């Protein structure tokens, strides 16, 4: 029974409630990093790592520190501090292991700190009531992983489309940002088709 619930959370956060295409969170890196597939994949993997760890750590901090001591009003500040620390860790790891990816991501890597999709998943883990449910920590982690995978899929799809658009014959008035917005809108509409899925 619990496996089915975890599978439902995973699939729904990847496809049905995709943080980028359905909830419109994390649009800055989605539009900024999605020009090349290599940098999109690197950014996606970094976001999966940060979202998963942030879901784990913020759940524990909220359940065992903020909630018992009745300081839940500090939730947003504490969650942002946790996310910023994780992003610093990811940035150092990428800089040491893959300097070319670090250069390709440029300013967008530190922007994970302000990526509202990462903060959104941590807040929604709490607001979904996982704190008071059985296996709540596991549900939070699965939702974090699913949100990261959904973000990565959206990023890779957009990057692939944008690479093809560079060689396409596009009217002059639509080149650049206008065609990017049109493409993002059509991609979001295509993911709307998953909203009818039933488990």
């Amino acid at each position: 029974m619990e496996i089915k619930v975890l599978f439902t959370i995973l699939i729904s956060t990847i496809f049905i409630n995709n943080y980028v295409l359905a909830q419109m969170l994390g649009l800055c890196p989605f539009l900024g990093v999605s020009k090349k597939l290599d940098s999109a994949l690197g950014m996606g993997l970094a976001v999966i790592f940060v979202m998963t760890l942030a879901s784990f750590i913020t759940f524990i901090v909220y359940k065992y520190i903020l909630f018992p001591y009745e300081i839940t009003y500090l939730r947003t500040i504490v969650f942002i501090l946790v996310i910023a620390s994780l992003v610093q860790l990811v940035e150092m790891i990428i800089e040491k292991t893959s300097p070319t990816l670090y250069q390709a991501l440029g300013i967008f890597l530190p922007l994970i700190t302000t990526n509202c999709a990462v903060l959104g998943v941590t807040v929604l883990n709490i607001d979904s009531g996982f704190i008071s449910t059985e296996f709540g920590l596991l549900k939070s982690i699965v939702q974090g992983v699913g949100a990261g995978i959904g973000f990565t899929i959206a990023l890779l799809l957009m990057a692939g489309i944008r690479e093809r658009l560079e060689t396409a014959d596009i009217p002059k008035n639509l080149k650049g940002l206008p065609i990017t917005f049109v493409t993002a809108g059509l991609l979001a509409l295509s993911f709307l088709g998953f909203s009818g899925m039933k488990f």
Side-chain angles (χ1 to χ4, degrees):
M1 178 66 176
E2 196 60 42
I3 300 288
K4 185 178 179 185
V5 171
L6 295 175
F7 182 74
T8 302
I9 291 170
L10 183 69
I11 295 300
S12 69
T13 52
I14 293 172
F15 297 109
I16 301 166
N17 295 318
N18 186 290
Y19 278 68
V20 178
L21 300 172
Q23 298 188 25
M24 300 301 167
L25 294 173
L27 291 177
C28 177
F30 172 69
L31 295 173
V33 182
S34 62
K35 292 181 181 174
K36 300 283 181 216
L37 275 169
D38 295 342
S39 57
L41 180 62
M43 177 69 153
L45 293 174
V47 168
I48 290 171
F49 179 76
V50 170
M51 280 187 174
T52 304
L53 272 180
S55 296
F56 175 73
I57 294 170
T58 55
F59 182 91
I60 290 172
V61 167
Y62 188 87
K63 185 167 185 174
Y64 298 108
I65 298 172
L66 299 180
F67 188 73
Y69 293 105
E70 297 179 6
I71 51 174
T72 56
Y73 57 88
L74 294 174
R75 174 177 75 173
T76 305
I77 294 169
V78 170
F79 287 5
I80 289 173
L81 287 173
V82 167
I83 293 165
S85 302
L86 289 172
V87 169
Q88 284 298 110
L89 176 69
V90 168
E91 194 172 358
M92 289 187 296
I93 290 170
I94 291 177
E95 187 177 17
K96 293 286 183 200
T97 59
S98 179
T100 54
L101 178 60
Y102 180 77
Q103 292 296 325
L105 291 174
I107 188 67
F108 293 104
L109 192 57
L111 281 179
I112 297 175
T113 304
T114 59
N115 185 347
C116 56
V118 180
L119 180 60
V121 76
T122 59
V123 169
L124 285 173
N125 284 339
I126 305 304
D127 291 345
S128 296
F130 293 156
I131 291 291
S132 58
T133 63
E134 191 177 16
F135 302 110
L137 178 60
L138 187 57
K139 290 176 183 175
S140 291
I141 292 170
V142 168
Q143 184 158 299
V145 170
I149 292 170
F151 181 87
T152 304
I153 288 172
L155 208 59
L156 290 173
L157 287 171
M158 188 65 167
I161 293 169
R162 285 178 81 176
E163 281 188 357
R164 297 288 302 263
L165 285 175
E166 289 197 12
T167 59
D169 186 25
I170 301 169
K172 185 179 176 186
N173 293 339
L174 282 176
K175 285 192 177 187
L177 198 56
I179 195 67
T180 302
F181 282 143
V182 169
T183 305
L186 292 172
L187 200 55
L189 277 174
S190 68
F191 267 68
L192 191 61
F194 292 115
S195 62
M197 287 177 68
K198 296 200 176 171
F199 296 96

